[in-house]
Amino acid sequence: MTSKTHAIIMFTSLAMVFVTGAFISSCSNGGANKQPKNADQKPGAPTWKAPDTTAIAAGEAGQQIRYGRELLAHTVNYFGPNGSIAQISNGMNCQNCHLEGGSRLFANNYSGVNANYPRHNNRSGKLQPITGRISDCFNRSLAGHAPDTNSSEVKAMVAYIKWIGQGVKKGQKLFGSASEKLPFLKVAADSVKGHAIYIAKCKVCHGVNGEGLLAADKKSYTYPPLWGVHSYNDGAGMYRIGNLAGFVKNNMPFGATYKSPQLSSEEAWNVAAFVNSQPRPHYDQSKDWKDLKTKPIDLPFGPYADAFSEKQHKYGPFKPMVK
């Protein structure tokens, strides 16, 4: 399910978060109950291209940017269970959901983050800075605890995110800035069918039990776990089935791209249903979504502003919920 060119990358996004677009992601604050809109997927919008990392300036500023990129790409080495700085996260890297250092189209890239933060976060109901978004990823997608936002590491991450998003204007629509918002199915996503797809196309990298594949150093994962204690928790953006399905369709399995997907939209919905039906860490979401009208349609925890069940909010069908 994961490309060999993405050796340390996860298919989230789990991702869970993630989408921003999906940032959600995995870390996303989501939206209300509306049919998916694909404004950022239309070829008429400018296509974002990440700056070349070889162009990162020399000197102290450039060193900080490169350090931030390293932290996002290999988070587990610094903050994982055996991290060199702190042991405050699971076995995943930020890059598992934000592919290729947050530079890949339709893979939760960082293109618009700097331009659009601080921004109002519907989930918390508060204005959120970039550092708050990073904290959310640690708390949810990395199923751990956020590092000190005044630390040199978080400052380096912010420096890299600002660098990669240079030139993007606030509110600018960019082609491929999120993950694809797939059209809703007419029926609920089917985790049984999704299991068959997972066995056929995903287990070779992520394991029959979603355990991932440990690297030779036994500290990081060559292919990350998709459920279990070392995967994203149920507060992550990737735990929203719509986020995960779009991410999978655009990026998985081996060799898939948004231009050449290997799964149909229905298959992506179903495999997302299977993955998110499996056990994972729980995150206390009792303080989330005080304004229920802004709660995403595919968030599988009540209460809701409607009378639909948690099961339907998790798997669909979503069309009857659309206002």
Side-chain angles (χ1 to χ4, degrees):
M1 187 170 181
T2 307
S3 167
K4 293 180 180 177
T5 63
H6 304 151
I8 58 173
I9 305 175
M10 169 180 165
F11 71 87
T12 50
S13 279
L14 258 170
M16 214 112 224
V17 173
F18 221 308
V19 245
T20 107
F23 218 138
I24 85 1
S25 125
S26 13
C27 314
S28 172
N29 63 4
N33 295 2
K34 297 179 181 179
Q35 184 76 357
K37 293 183 178 179
N38 299 327
D40 294 352
Q41 296 162 208
K42 295 179 180 178
T47 298
W48 176 73
K49 183 177 180 180
D52 189 340
T53 55
T54 62
I56 296 175
E60 186 175 342
Q63 184 176 3
Q64 185 184 44
I65 292 167
R66 283 186 285 271
Y67 184 39
R69 184 173 185 269
E70 168 66 15
L71 290 164
L72 293 166
H74 305 114
T75 319
V76 67
N77 292 343
Y78 303 93
F79 295 108
N82 297 294
S84 61
I85 295 174
Q87 298 77 48
I88 55 173
S89 70
N90 59 16
M92 295 175 62
N93 302 308
C94 297
Q95 185 170 247
N96 292 150
C97 296
H98 308 280
L99 301 190
E100 298 175 7
S103 68
R104 182 168 171 164
L105 296 182
F106 290 109
N108 301 330
N109 62 59
Y110 298 136
S111 58
V113 178
N114 180 54
N116 292 291
Y117 277 77
R119 63 179 289 182
H120 179 76
N121 183 289
N122 286 332
R123 183 167 58 201
S124 68
K126 300 176 182 178
L127 189 69
Q128 184 181 56
I130 294 178
T131 54
R133 176 171 167 173
I134 292 171
S135 294
D136 268 354
C137 284
F138 270 86
N139 290 331
R140 298 169 186 264
S141 298
L142 298 181
H145 304 284
D148 182 355
T149 54
N150 291 314
S151 66
S152 59
E153 284 70 35
V154 171
K155 289 179 179 178
M157 293 180 198
V158 171
Y160 173 72
I161 290 171
K162 288 183 175 181
W163 174 84
I164 201 171
Q166 59 185 280
V168 177
K169 299 177 181 178
K170 184 177 179 64
Q172 184 178 9
K173 296 295 184 183
L174 296 169
F175 178 74
S177 65
S179 288
E180 184 178 358
K181 304 294 190 293
L182 301 182
F184 292 143
L185 300 178
K186 294 180 180 180
V187 297
D190 190 326
S191 62
V192 175
K193 291 181 178 178
H195 182 222
I197 297 166
Y198 181 87
I199 294 300
K201 305 216 172 176
C202 312
K203 78 168 186 177
V204 65
C205 292
H206 296 285
V208 66
N209 295 311
E211 69 275 19
L213 178 64
L214 274 172
D217 61 10
K218 303 299 181 183
K219 296 180 180 180
S220 59
Y221 284 90
T222 300
Y223 302 107
L226 302 188
W227 61 86
V229 296
H230 294 294
S231 190
Y232 56 90
N233 64 35
D234 60 15
M238 285 294 191
Y239 194 64
R240 288 176 49 196
I241 188 174
N243 287 347
L244 182 54
F247 184 90
V248 168
K249 169 86 180 285
N250 294 158
N251 300 288
M252 301 295 153
F254 175 80
T257 68
Y258 75 93
K259 292 181 178 179
S260 301
Q262 295 187 29
L263 298 177
S264 67
S265 291
E266 181 179 358
E267 288 173 324
W269 278 109
N270 289 338
V271 77
F274 168 69
V275 169
N276 279 347
S277 71
Q278 301 305 301
R280 64 187 63 255
H282 176 64
Y283 184 79
D284 181 7
Q285 300 170 57
S286 60
K287 296 182 180 180
D288 291 353
W289 310 105
K290 296 300 183 182
D291 183 355
L292 297 181
K293 295 189 296 294
T294 66
K295 202 168 190 176
I297 195 171
D298 57 350
L299 199 84
F301 299 108
Y304 303 107
D306 58 45
F308 295 99
S309 68
E310 286 191 347
K311 182 177 181 180
Q312 188 164 350
H313 275 283
K314 184 170 183 176
Y315 299 114
F318 296 112
K319 283 188 176 182
M321 303 179 187
V322 177
K323 296 179 180 179

